[in-house]
């Protein structure tokens, strides 16, 4: 599974932090909505198309939080150019 995009609500702490991830695995698109940081609680959504996944993401990012898009992690085995 490859992570394509990641949004964070800009808040620190287990009670306030929220993250939304967009991932792809073959021809399936996955959205993860996480509350509480790395050890928090996640809800998962699975779609046939990126458009459906992006519709869900737009809905999840609605509201008063100031969402920031973060860079995805490089693939495992990736090394910076020398």
């Amino acid at each position: 599974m490859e992570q394509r995009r990641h949004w964070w609500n800009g808040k620190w702490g287990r009670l306030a932090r929220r993250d939304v991830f967009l991932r792809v695995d073959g021809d399936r698109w996955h959205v993860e909505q996480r509350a509480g940081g790395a050890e928090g609680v996640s809800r998962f959504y699975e779609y046939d198309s990126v458009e459906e996944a992006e519709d869900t993401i737009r809905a999840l990012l609605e509201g008063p939080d100031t969402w920031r898009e973060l860079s995805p992690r490089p693939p495992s085995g990736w090394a910076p150019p020398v």
Side-chain angles (χ1 to χ4, degrees), residues 10-48:
K11 297 181 182 176
W12 295 98
R14 191 173 53 86
L15 298 176
R17 183 176 178 127
R18 302 287 181 267
D19 295 272
V20 175
F21 300 90
L22 174 64
R23 298 183 179 107
V24 64
D25 187 15
D27 61 351
R28 300 292 295 168
W29 291 88
H30 303 266
V31 175
E32 178 185 356
Q33 175 187 23
R34 185 185 300 163
E39 296 182 17
V41 177
S42 293
R43 185 170 184 187
F44 297 93
Y45 307 86
E46 188 173 333
Y47 300 98
D48 291 324

Side-chain angles (χ1 to χ4, degrees), residues 2 15 19 25 39-40 45 54 56 64 66-67 69 77 79 82:
E2 177 185 347
L15 298 176
D19 295 272
D25 187 15
E39 296 182 17
Y45 307 86
E54 288 173 341
T56 296
T66 304
W67 289 91
E69 186 168 358
V82 176

